[in-house]
Amino acid sequence: MILILDANVIMSALIRDGESRKLINMPSFTFYSPDTLLESIEKYKEEIIEKSGLSKKDFSDILNSIIDKIFIIKKENYESKLEQANKIIGHIDIGDISYIALALSIENDGIWSDDYHFQKQDKLKIYKTEDIIKII
């Protein structure tokens, strides 16, 4: 299954060793994320470390192991779909535009996100973590 992976799933996987982290490590999935993902993680790094109780080194190690399983796609590869993505989700959450644009740019089965903003659009399939668990 090919999924666009939202930052909130990764943040959840960093905060606790739960379902999200286990699912990300399963070989039956191929994950893609826009390059904005790394900015989001960096923006919330201190908050994630505090919530998780991880040391900075452990945070970095876990993040690197997760990032190794994701194809990070540069903006130039989905840029042509940004305007269309903005029409779909820009009025709901401007921060999600790059994920929608990427989903419109490459072959995939949907977006994995627990962000309720994605549920407010009806152009792309959205999987919550509980949906992914049911699939496997």
Side-chain angles (χ1 to χ4, degrees):
M1 182 173 221
I2 301 169
L3 295 170
I4 308 302
L5 193 55
D6 185 26
N8 73 353
V9 174
I10 296 168
M11 289 180 203
S12 176
L14 287 165
I15 290 170
R16 70 182 174 283
D17 188 10
E19 294 298 329
S20 296
R21 196 181 302 174
K22 289 175 189 151
L23 292 167
I24 289 170
N25 283 302
M26 294 186 82
S28 53
F29 296 103
T30 302
F31 299 114
Y32 291 87
S33 286
D35 50 3
T36 56
L37 166 80
L38 301 174
E39 296 166 20
S40 296
I41 301 294
E42 186 59 35
K43 179 179 176 182
Y44 294 102
K45 177 181 177 179
E46 294 305 319
E47 184 179 337
I48 294 167
I49 288 171
E50 184 179 321
K51 284 183 177 183
S52 68
L54 294 169
S55 68
K56 288 185 179 187
K57 182 187 180 330
D58 288 343
F59 168 87
S60 182
D61 290 346
I62 293 168
L63 176 60
N64 288 333
S65 73
I66 291 171
I67 295 298
D68 283 347
K69 293 170 179 49
I70 304 167
F71 293 98
I72 305 293
I73 308 300
K74 293 184 180 193
K75 184 178 180 178
E76 63 233 27
N77 294 302
Y78 59 86
E79 194 167 29
S80 66
K81 299 293 184 178
L82 286 171
E83 187 176 329
Q84 184 181 358
N86 187 41
K87 288 177 184 172
I88 293 170
I89 205 157
H91 64 287
I92 300 168
D93 186 349
I94 199 162
D96 294 334
I97 292 173
S98 60
Y99 294 93
I100 297 288
L102 179 57
L104 294 168
S105 299
I106 64 171
E107 185 177 324
N108 66 86
D109 296 299
I111 298 172
W112 176 10
S113 177
D114 290 316
D115 182 344
Y116 71 93
H117 294 123
F118 281 108
Q119 304 297 329
K120 294 181 180 180
Q121 61 79 39
D122 60 0
K123 303 292 184 216
L124 296 160
K125 175 74 175 150
I126 306 299
Y127 295 92
K128 295 182 282 187
T129 300
E130 64 191 49
D131 301 325
I132 302 294
I133 292 167
K134 289 175 189 173
I135 290 169
I136 58 159

